[in-house]
Amino acid sequence: MAQTESPAGSQAPDQASTIADLQRQIDELKAMVSALQTTQPAPSPGSAPVAAPAPAQPAPVSAPPAPESIPLAAATPKPKREAWYEKLRLRGYTQMRFNQIVSGDADAPAGVSRLRSIHDSAVNGDSNFTFRRMRLVLQGDLNDHVSFYFQPDFAAAVSNQSVGERREGTVSLRDMYADVFPTGDKSFRIRLGQSKVPYGWENMQSSSNRLALDRTDAINSAASGERDLGIVAYYTPPRVQAIWDRLADDGQKLFGNYGAFGFGVFNGQGLNRTETDNDVMAVALATWPFELDGLGLNGQVFEIGGSVMRNTIRPEIRTGGVSPVGFKDNRVNLHAILYPQPFGVQAEWNWGTGPEFIPATGRIEERPVDGGYVQVMAKIDQTPIGTIHPFARWQYYRGGFKAAINAPRLETEELELGLEFQIDPALEITTTYGWASRKEADERRFGQAEGQILRVQAQWNY
């Protein structure tokens, strides 16, 4: 009995001693960790305690509770800062057109006006398919306060390449600017570089977002090409931005967020043209949308505003170069838009003074400019082929066209009916039929050209 009880009796004290030793080591480890956390932000290498060796013969009793896990202060690696070139976005659109003069003055003898458009040189007696625009846009944020925007057009044309023949598919700079945001909410921006001149609602609207295929003569004659080199500041109150965001989500065709208020100074000579005097063009714009829910027109928005321009310009002359003297180019514009939900109206008009060639004197003089347009449109969403935008536009203009050689006089009246089919977000088809009476933009041709024009455009967005 003594031999059989002796091992069991000696085992109990050994187990108790082992448990006590383990508890002591745990208490010491807790004290060490607590001291390290108090004196250092993170444990240094080599200071971590070494785990005590486990007993060779585990005691047949329940193991002591594990010590609480104690979070150690360790340096968290900082997230990698996104480089500016990782924030870039590439997009664009292409417009392919078919123009056909159905009847009228497609051609005429020398000295007589032909049916032509200042916006699309492919409106002539020999044209069929052309690329009207082929744009790529590269844009992005350089940091929280600076972004940039770059847009070339690959469908420009140059003349006099082979005994006066045009060449299509050349590259032209449209936009290259940086936006500087002094405030955190980006409601205020300063734009530096070549960008749109804030004059006229239609002129500011992107050609990818406009219903009619071309801008009207009266409004576009103020800033043909819509752009110039300079500095402009824009401000958009948050409440206005909220209305525009809602309209954009509804698929409305906005003029682009160029600010509810804008003021800029530019060279004043025109798109991609060298400055020729020591004067600057000053332009200001204001526009404000009003929600008409209080009148019982739920969701309807009416926007109204205007713009002014003060400039001096030296038009190109037939003998070469530019005019040796500058001419006043001052205008005022009013615009109003009732967004189609489902029916809407859009109208603009401008008045002022600009350069115009006078055949009787053979000289360019300062003469009045007067003209604008009225457009009615609808937005039909629920159709088997997507959203349909039917529209009708009437335009009128009397005045000089400073972007052409010798600033010839334009006399334009045109009624145009059209349908835009938004078959897919990536594809739009627009077809128009117009009745036009125009004076050709050439001071050597006289009279009015009249006719009917059929036009079809396919636009794909990417």
Side-chain angles (χ1 to χ4, degrees):
M1 290 179 61
Q3 291 179 351
T4 55
E5 291 177 359
S6 177
S10 62
Q11 186 177 7
D14 291 341
Q15 291 177 349
S17 175
T18 301
I19 293 172
D21 187 58
L22 286 174
Q23 186 61 50
R24 179 182 55 78
Q25 294 184 34
I26 290 172
D27 292 341
E28 290 178 355
L29 286 173
K30 286 184 178 181
M32 293 175 62
V33 170
S34 178
L36 287 172
Q37 288 182 324
T38 303
T39 58
Q40 299 181 10
S44 59
S47 64
V50 180
Q57 299 267 340
V61 295
S62 57
E68 297 182 9
S69 71
I70 303 173
L72 301 180
T76 303
K78 293 183 179 180
K80 181 183 176 182
R81 185 173 182 178
E82 192 176 18
W84 67 268
Y85 51 81
E86 296 176 321
K87 305 176 185 179
L88 300 184
R89 178 188 175 196
L90 183 65
R91 60 181 179 86
Y93 67 96
T94 296
Q95 294 174 342
M96 187 181 77
R97 287 187 184 175
F98 172 81
N99 296 322
Q100 181 66 52
I101 298 178
V102 177
S103 65
D105 302 320
D107 292 295
V112 180
S113 291
R114 303 163 295 180
L115 193 57
R116 298 292 186 268
S117 170
I118 62 173
H119 310 283
D120 188 351
S121 60
V123 177
N124 59 60
D126 301 319
S127 180
N128 288 311
F129 295 103
T130 57
F131 279 122
R132 178 61 184 90
R133 294 176 178 87
M134 197 183 303
R135 304 282 177 84
L136 279 178
V137 175
L138 182 65
Q139 64 183 122
D141 295 325
L142 303 182
N143 53 45
D144 292 339
H145 296 282
V146 182
S147 68
F148 85 102
Y149 187 99
F150 171 53
Q151 179 179 218
D153 187 1
F154 294 86
V158 293
S159 300
N160 299 323
Q161 299 303 293
S162 176
V163 196
E165 185 184 0
R166 286 165 53 90
R167 287 287 188 271
E168 310 289 343
T170 59
V171 183
S172 173
L173 177 64
R174 304 301 291 182
D175 299 277
M176 183 62 214
Y177 59 79
D179 277 343
V180 181
F181 302 96
T183 59
D185 60 358
K186 296 189 176 182
S187 60
F188 176 71
R189 71 185 67 186
I190 301 174
R191 183 161 292 175
L192 312 171
Q194 181 164 293
S195 66
K196 285 192 174 181
V197 175
Y199 181 89
W201 197 94
E202 182 190 58
N203 252 27
M204 302 291 285
Q205 189 180 36
S206 171
S207 297
S208 65
N209 207 31
R210 191 179 56 250
L211 278 177
L213 298 185
D214 294 318
R215 296 177 173 89
T216 51
D217 293 7
I219 308 304
N220 193 247
S221 63
S224 181
E226 304 88 56
R227 296 160 174 85
D228 207 336
L229 184 62
I231 303 174
V232 58
Y234 292 112
Y235 173 67
T236 305
R239 59 181 295 188
V240 173
Q241 187 62 58
I243 296 175
W244 284 345
D245 288 344
R246 179 175 68 79
L247 291 173
D249 292 339
D250 186 47
Q252 296 291 337
K253 294 183 175 293
L254 306 178
F255 86 130
N257 185 2
Y258 289 95
F261 305 97
F263 175 78
V265 289
F266 300 86
N267 280 341
Q269 195 64 20
L271 175 64
N272 294 333
R273 300 189 182 210
T274 303
E275 176 67 344
T276 58
D277 58 28
N278 196 29
D279 196 11
V280 296
M281 174 175 67
V283 185
L285 174 142
T287 186
W288 196 272
F290 295 89
E291 294 180 300
L292 304 183
D293 294 359
L295 302 178
L297 302 173
N298 293 336
Q300 201 87 37
V301 175
F302 176 70
E303 186 169 331
I304 189 170
S307 44
V308 294
M309 172 185 291
R310 177 230 168 250
N311 188 26
T312 300
I313 189 170
R314 298 187 179 187
E316 293 186 54
I317 56 178
R318 184 72 56 185
T319 55
V322 298
S323 168
V325 297
F327 298 91
K328 290 182 180 179
D329 182 28
N330 303 329
R331 302 188 182 209
V332 60
N333 168 288
L334 296 176
H335 67 259
I337 303 96
L338 179 66
Y339 289 94
Q341 295 180 338
F343 302 102
V345 181
Q346 178 178 324
E348 282 189 85
W349 211 268
N350 79 152
W351 305 264
T353 301
E356 178 186 322
F357 184 84
I358 308 301
T361 62
R363 299 171 53 188
I364 300 175
E365 300 178 9
E366 294 173 0
R367 290 296 178 94
V369 298
D370 175 35
Y373 68 93
V374 178
Q375 176 176 288
V376 294
M377 61 272 194
K379 181 174 178 285
I380 307 171
D381 292 317
Q382 304 300 326
T383 76
I385 58 173
T387 302
I388 298 177
H389 295 267
F391 65 94
R393 186 182 70 176
W394 171 79
Q395 65 164 309
Y396 171 93
Y397 181 57
R398 296 291 186 271
F401 184 49
K402 62 186 179 184
I405 294 176
N406 270 355
R409 177 178 175 83
L410 296 182
E411 297 178 1
T412 303
E413 284 189 69
E414 184 177 67
L415 174 63
E416 189 175 38
L417 305 180
L419 278 173
E420 180 191 276
F421 302 89
Q422 290 186 338
I423 300 173
D424 184 87
L427 180 63
E428 300 175 11
I429 305 294
T430 304
T431 179
T432 68
Y433 196 91
W435 294 262
S437 175
R438 291 175 171 273
K439 186 180 187 302
E440 189 172 349
D442 188 331
E443 85 286 358
R444 300 166 299 181
R445 292 181 177 267
F446 302 92
Q448 291 290 107
E450 299 184 352
Q452 300 176 28
I453 309 173
L454 171 67
R455 314 177 74 193
V456 182
Q457 174 179 283
Q459 173 179 307
W460 52 96
N461 309 304
Y462 37 87

